[in-house]
Amino acid sequence: DTGVSQDPRHKITKRGQNVTFRCDPISEHNRLYWYRQTLGQGPEFLTYFQNEAQLEKSRLLSDRFSAERPKGSFSTLEIQRTEQGDSAMYLCASSPPSQETQYFGPGTRLLVL
Amino acid sequence: AQKITQTQPGMFVQEKEAVTLDCTYDTSDQSYGLFWYKQPSSGEMIFLIYQGSYDEQNATEGRYSLNFQKARKSANLVISASQLGDSAMYFCNVDRGSTLGRLYFGRGTQLTVWP
């Protein structure tokens, strides 16, 4: 399968715990995006990488959230001290150079109890 | 900032019929891209069709076509010959088409295809 992959697909955690999600983009895609989607809403942009550089962060990305893409390939999104409001689907997307289309992964569903 | 409006929270269509999903957008950018994505209940966002703001012809991809009216800032999706598998949430998006490329999503339209 050469699509965008995300791990884990589901995560249940207790409030206050830290969680980390991983996204592996399609090979050769230099741009990588994270979005968050809550029930009944469209996805909201969180952050964007071009290669290893994080070029933009939404104000939705509070100081409890951090994302990295150290080698310009896979990316991680960490949430520290999770809150119930963090419960959502976290979507990763990637796109190749010179093309606008973003290709999404299956998402990670987070439930904070 | 960009804004997307999808006024139809739910649409119903009979199998094999055509359906139009409405989308209007608001952007101050001169160059931008318009996208439609489909999200089945499994959650994965599936790319359907793209239209560049400077494209003069409406985009088509198989059974999907985009009715682009730039002056009205409208980008409706037309699905011809609906299939049961088309039942899903549909999102219209606009991006800035330049440096950042982030997508702005509307609230979506839930399409249900019945036999």
Side-chain angles (χ1 to χ4, degrees):
Chain A
D1 185 10
T2 57
V4 178
S5 62
Q6 292 186 246
D7 183 70
R9 295 290 305 277
H10 304 272
K11 179 71 177 178
I12 301 174
T13 191
K14 292 183 179 179
R15 190 173 51 187
Q17 298 295 305
N18 299 345
V19 294
T20 299
F21 308 141
R22 176 178 170 127
C23 170
D24 286 88
I26 295 171
S27 180
E28 310 297 329
H29 283 198
N30 63 331
R31 287 177 284 160
L32 187 148
Y33 307 80
W34 285 98
Y35 294 84
R36 181 175 70 183
Q37 184 178 22
T38 53
L39 202 61
Q41 303 292 322
E44 297 172 294
F45 170 79
L46 291 178
T47 191
Y48 157 60
F49 290 86
Q50 183 160 305
N51 299 311
E52 66 276 6
Q54 188 174 21
L55 296 188
E56 188 178 9
K57 288 171 38 172
S58 162
R59 61 177 181 272
L60 291 174
L61 215 65
S62 74
D63 55 5
R64 295 186 299 106
F65 287 71
S66 62
E68 294 182 345
R69 193 183 184 197
K71 297 180 180 178
S73 56
F74 72 91
S75 175
T76 57
L77 178 69
E78 181 183 15
I79 309 174
Q80 296 181 326
R81 305 181 303 281
T82 52
E83 301 173 356
Q84 288 184 324
D86 297 332
S87 297
M89 170 82 93
Y90 290 84
L91 293 164
C92 176
S94 69
S95 58
S98 304
Q99 191 184 117
E100 292 85 357
T101 302
Q102 295 181 25
Y103 298 90
F104 283 79
T108 295
R109 290 185 189 270
L110 172 67
L111 178 61
V112 181
L113 301 176
Chain B
Q2 278 70 1
K3 182 181 176 183
I4 291 285
T5 303
Q6 292 182 254
T7 58
Q8 307 153 315
M11 286 287 285
F12 294 85
V13 65
Q14 191 170 21
E15 196 178 11
K16 299 180 185 176
E17 296 294 311
V19 62
T20 298
L21 306 183
D22 295 341
C23 172
T24 58
Y25 59 92
D26 187 15
T27 179
S28 56
D29 290 325
Q30 294 302 309
S31 175
Y32 51 89
L34 293 155
F35 302 79
W36 277 90
Y37 283 83
K38 167 185 175 182
Q39 189 176 41
S41 56
S42 60
E44 187 166 355
M45 199 71 71
I46 301 168
F47 166 72
L48 295 178
I49 194 166
Y50 164 80
Q51 175 92 40
S53 58
Y54 287 108
D55 294 340
E56 293 188 355
Q57 288 195 323
N58 287 340
T60 59
E61 286 286 347
R63 295 185 299 111
Y64 305 107
S65 61
L66 203 153
N67 184 359
F68 180 48
Q69 297 185 45
K70 190 171 182 177
R72 290 185 166 187
K73 294 189 175 178
S74 164
N76 298 340
L77 177 71
V78 180
I79 306 175
S80 62
S82 298
Q83 302 172 355
L84 296 178
D86 293 336
S87 294
M89 183 71 86
Y90 287 79
F91 290 99
C92 175
N93 319 88
V94 62
D95 83 348
R96 296 181 64 173
S98 54
T99 55
L100 296 181
R102 63 148 88 172
L103 292 177
Y104 295 85
F105 285 79
R107 300 189 77 168
T109 295
Q110 179 67 49
L111 176 67
T112 302
V113 181
W114 50 283

